Amino acid sequence: MHILAIETSCDETAAAVVTDEGRVLSNVVASQIKDHAAFGGVVPEIASRKHTELIEPVVEEALIEAGTSGRELGAVTVTQGPGLVGALLVGISYAKALAYGLGIPLFGINHLEGHLCAAKIEHEVTYPHIGMVVSGGHTSLYRICSPSDIVRIGQTLDDAAGEAYDKVAKLLYLGYPGGVVIERISRGVDHEEIDFPRPLINDDTYDFSFSGLKTAVLNRVLREEIFEHVDLSFSGLPEEKKPLPGKEDMVPKIAAAFQAAVIDVLVAKAFKAVADHDMKLLVVTGGVASNGALREALGRKARETGIRLVIPDRKYCTDNAAMIGIAGIRSIKEGRCASLDMNAVSRWERV
Ligand code: KG4
Ligand code: ZN
């Protein structure tokens, strides 16, 4: 059976076709990054409007790439939440209309379950295991005993790791989104002289906290007097965004030191959860899991401890619809079909 999947929870308009055996036939993602970049973050109203423009061509492209016509589809799966309500509603409304028009069932999918399911696309995933989602909206650890038994054991108490990347990039005038650029400018940089805090690294929970780290970065930026202004509104003239003469090398140093702190915490907490629960497999996914330095650090620790590590390919770590299709297979098998009055869920406690 061919399944059409739709994902519009944040700033990517995405559609994919997968089979009910878990094969990805197409995976189309239209990023809105350039529409939000000038604002230094996702503007919900702009996201909704762009989804409205992009949803039709993106779905059409996914069908063409998969060599499938609407008539061959057996089900539609769509991200129901969590996410931006206006953005989610564009995908949900489109999915409802399509399912109704084609006379096929509709399934509402949890975005985080989708991220966790991304690991299954190209890897064998066994149970039980520990799953970690590290994205712009979430930093959470899960004990996963079966595809339907997912228990959150820890989460961030304030900012998500990706959000911290984005805010630090903003502080350093590096543009939006922050993850990719911080990764790039940090590569090979010696940051020994800067030692940022590793929040909650040694505590007894599986929770995270990144807002204090962000404040430590801000204080350092102010103390070093790197910029003439620190303007968190992301406005200002281009020359004001450049480091003052002689301060240029502080930007990559601070970025690299920040990234090292985030990675230390993520690696420590993920492997603490693995050890405490006596697990043999760790799955790490979400936008931040596309970070090469994090992937390497996790890989090193996995080799040291003899734990199997699965991190999806980068294109399946960041938001995409293939993961929503793969997560949908379980809902389809369990017959958990949604009705046409299905609504968006902005906060979803279940996962
Ligand atoms: O999973 P995702 O695409 O969307 C959410 O569900 O939030 O994650 C987006 C987040 C952003 O905060 C972005 O800065 C971060 O993932 N990100 C990265 C990298 N690529 C994306 N963070 C660190 N390094 C990267 N290479
Ligand atoms: Zn996501």
Side-chain angles (χ1 to χ4, degrees):
M1 192 220 286
H2 288 183
I3 303 162
L4 174 72
I6 294 174
E7 152 66 42
T8 62
S9 67
C10 192
D11 61 342
E12 326 275 2
T13 314
V17 178
V18 306
T19 71
D20 59 348
E21 287 153 351
R23 215 151 44 86
V24 177
L25 302 181
S26 65
N27 185 38
V28 178
V29 181
S31 172
Q32 306 176 0
I33 283 175
K34 62 176 185 347
D35 301 292
H36 300 279
F39 304 96
V42 177
V43 182
E45 176 59 20
I46 293 179
S48 307
R49 275 188 244 163
K50 288 309 284 186
H51 285 312
T52 311
E53 280 171 32
L54 292 167
I55 186 82
E56 178 117 43
V58 165
V59 168
E60 266 172 23
E61 197 180 326
L63 291 173
I64 291 167
E65 229 178 74
T68 316
S69 74
R71 270 176 215 88
E72 289 169 83
L73 294 174
V76 182
T77 66
V78 61
T79 306
Q80 189 177 1
L84 303 170
V85 168
L88 288 163
L89 282 172
V90 177
I92 291 174
S93 309
Y94 193 88
K96 279 182 187 175
L98 205 63
Y100 181 71
L102 294 169
I104 56 176
L106 170 73
F107 297 85
I109 306 300
N110 180 300
H111 181 79
L112 296 158
E113 190 179 340
H115 271 303
L116 290 165
C117 282
K120 296 186 202 169
I121 297 174
E122 292 175 325
H123 303 89
E124 197 203 339
V125 171
T126 52
Y127 298 88
H129 64 262
I130 294 291
M132 179 161 78
V133 178
V134 205
S135 70
H138 297 85
T139 304
S140 303
L141 274 161
Y142 302 92
R143 180 171 53 81
I144 305 175
C145 290
S146 78
S148 58
D149 182 0
I150 305 174
V151 177
R152 190 176 59 214
I153 55 172
Q155 61 183 320
T156 181
L157 304 176
D158 39 58
D159 292 352
E163 191 180 353
Y165 263 98
D166 296 337
K167 287 179 177 168
V168 164
K170 202 164 168 173
L171 270 174
L172 297 173
Y173 289 114
L174 292 172
Y176 174 83
V180 176
V181 57
I182 288 184
E183 175 177 4
R184 180 167 45 79
I185 69 163
S186 298
R187 223 168 270 144
V189 172
D190 178 5
H191 55 83
E192 288 285 283
E193 71 188 79
I194 306 175
D195 192 18
F196 286 133
R198 269 75 173 150
L200 304 185
I201 195 163
N202 288 321
D203 84 335
D204 223 21
T205 72
Y206 308 107
D207 290 332
F208 301 88
S209 165
F210 293 105
S211 87
L213 173 59
K214 179 192 65 194
T215 307
V217 173
L218 170 62
N219 289 339
R220 188 73 184 220
V221 168
L222 294 174
R223 201 173 87 211
E224 299 279 350
E225 297 180 346
I226 300 172
F227 301 101
E228 201 168 332
H229 304 279
V230 172
D231 181 353
L232 295 176
S233 70
F234 216 57
S235 55
L237 301 167
E239 60 270 23
E240 290 172 347
K241 300 177 186 177
K242 289 209 178 91
L244 291 167
K247 300 285 181 173
E248 293 87 351
D249 64 336
M250 282 312 291
V251 172
K253 265 190 195 158
I254 288 178
F258 159 78
Q259 172 162 285
V262 172
I263 290 176
D264 277 357
V265 174
L266 293 174
V267 172
K269 289 274 167 155
F271 281 88
K272 172 182 162 54
V274 168
D276 290 356
H277 293 83
D278 200 18
M279 297 288 188
K280 303 276 175 285
L281 170 65
L282 170 67
V283 165
V284 184
T285 175
V288 181
S290 65
N291 183 287
L294 173 62
R295 295 168 85 94
E296 277 168 31
L298 288 164
R300 266 195 307 276
K301 184 81 178 173
R303 282 191 296 279
E304 262 168 51
T305 51
I307 297 301
R308 185 167 164 247
L309 172 69
V310 169
I311 311 178
D313 186 86
R314 286 181 167 79
K315 64 177 176 295
Y316 297 129
C317 281
T318 47
D319 284 352
N320 66 88
M323 68 186 196
I324 301 303
I326 301 296
I329 296 171
R330 179 170 77 87
S331 305
I332 293 169
K333 291 201 170 129
E334 291 174 3
R336 288 190 290 110
C337 176
S339 63
L340 288 180
D341 61 5
M342 177 174 97
N343 209 342
V345 182
S346 63
R347 288 176 180 276
W348 193 328
E349 280 310 313
R350 187 171 62 82
V351 176

